[in-house]
Amino acid sequence: QGLLLWTPPPVAACVMGLLKVGKPLSWKETLPHCQYIREHGVQQFLSTWRRVKDIENDRLFYGDEIEYALLLLDDEKRHVRVHLRGGQVMDELNAKESNTDDLNGYGGCTWHQEYGSWMLEGTPAVPYGGYTKSLVQVEKNMRIRRARLLATLRPGEIAPTVVAFPLLGVGDFVRPASQPGGPASRSDTVP
């Protein structure tokens, strides 16, 4: 198994987003690679430092991320459950984004998976640029993300910006019903 090492693209090519979706190594699988990781981590740090040490007054790029929980409400029974549809919603949103030209990415959004299948994360498509104008773009982009997400939800679904679900693992808390456990959570209560 090879390790994936990331080489940063030129600044002009930078867009915000997920670098790689894959299967992480277990701790036991990682151990034989620790020395390599240490050595190359230091080499990458020094290479980056040498490349940027003389740069002054460079434009600051920054971004934000908002995490959403996908929940399903049952008004009749007055019950709320996590809804394991995050991946599908993410795919729908990213497909819509790819068909939308928002001034070369400005005003656009990207959607990423989060830890649970009931979660997703929204970020701006491109970083903000360190100017006063960028401060106005932050709130505008947050509102755009919220509106686009709400337009994708089905009846009964909500997407609050919470990172924890208080009833996780308690009784009938998930739709569709799923068995607890799995290699990621290793939990007796969380699917």
Side-chain angles (χ1 to χ4, degrees), residues 5-55:
L5 295 178
W6 178 68
T7 303
V11 173
C14 285
V15 293
M16 294 180 67
L18 191 62
L19 297 176
K20 176 72 177 150
V21 176
K23 181 183 174 289
L25 299 176
S26 70
W27 179 249
K28 189 175 182 178
E29 293 169 323
T30 303
L31 289 176
H33 306 287
C34 286
Q35 188 60 34
Y36 176 91
I37 293 168
R38 285 185 198 100
E39 290 172 6
H40 286 81
V42 170
Q43 289 174 8
Q44 286 181 0
F45 172 79
L46 291 173
S47 173
T48 301
W49 181 77
R50 286 183 193 111
R51 185 173 40 86
V52 300
K53 66 181 175 142
D54 297 321
I55 296 175

Side-chain angles (χ1 to χ4, degrees), residues 167-185:
L167 298 174
L168 196 61
V170 179
D172 182 22
F173 70 97
V174 62
R175 285 293 179 267
S178 298
Q179 291 297 317
S185 68

Side-chain angles (χ1 to χ4, degrees), residues 13 15 37 51-53 68 73 92 107 110 116 126 147 162 184 188:
V15 293
I37 293 168
R51 185 173 40 86
V52 300
K53 66 181 175 142
Y68 304 91
L73 300 179
E92 289 175 28
T110 55
V126 297
V162 296
D188 293 334

Side-chain angles (χ1 to χ4, degrees), residues 29-181:
E29 293 169 323
T30 303
L31 289 176
H33 306 287
C34 286
Q35 188 60 34
Y36 176 91
I37 293 168
R38 285 185 198 100
E39 290 172 6
H40 286 81
V42 170
Q43 289 174 8
Q44 286 181 0
F45 172 79
L46 291 173
S47 173
T48 301
W49 181 77
R50 286 183 193 111
R51 185 173 40 86
V52 300
K53 66 181 175 142
D54 297 321
I55 296 175
E56 294 180 8
N57 298 318
D58 196 27
R59 187 172 171 197
L60 171 68
F61 289 98
Y62 64 96
D64 71 272
E65 61 181 42
I66 300 176
E67 295 177 3
Y68 304 91
L70 191 59
L71 306 178
L72 186 61
L73 300 179
D74 183 341
D75 290 331
E76 191 175 294
K77 295 181 181 177
R78 297 182 48 86
H79 201 95
V80 61
R81 296 173 177 91
V82 296
H83 201 197
L84 305 182
R85 211 171 74 81
Q88 182 183 356
V89 171
M90 178 187 68
D91 291 342
E92 289 175 28
L93 288 164
N94 281 326
K96 289 178 183 178
E97 292 295 335
S98 67
N99 295 325
T100 304
D101 180 20
D102 287 303
L103 307 171
N104 296 321
Y106 290 97
C109 316
T110 55
W111 302 90
H112 314 281
Q113 65 186 29
E114 264 299 322
Y115 167 74
S117 299
W118 66 92
M119 307 163 108
L120 69 143
E121 174 184 286
T123 63
V126 297
Y128 304 117
Y131 297 117
T132 306
K133 178 178 124 181
S134 296
L135 297 173
V136 177
Q137 290 174 324
V138 175
E139 182 180 359
K140 180 179 178 185
N141 189 273
M142 288 179 172
R143 289 179 185 273
I144 287 170
R145 280 180 268 164
R146 167 60 69 188
R148 289 180 181 172
L149 175 58
L150 292 177
T152 306
L153 298 181
R154 293 178 179 167
E157 287 180 334
I158 61 171
T161 54
V162 296
V163 295
F165 182 68
L167 298 174
L168 196 61
V170 179
D172 182 22
F173 70 97
V174 62
R175 285 293 179 267
S178 298
Q179 291 297 317

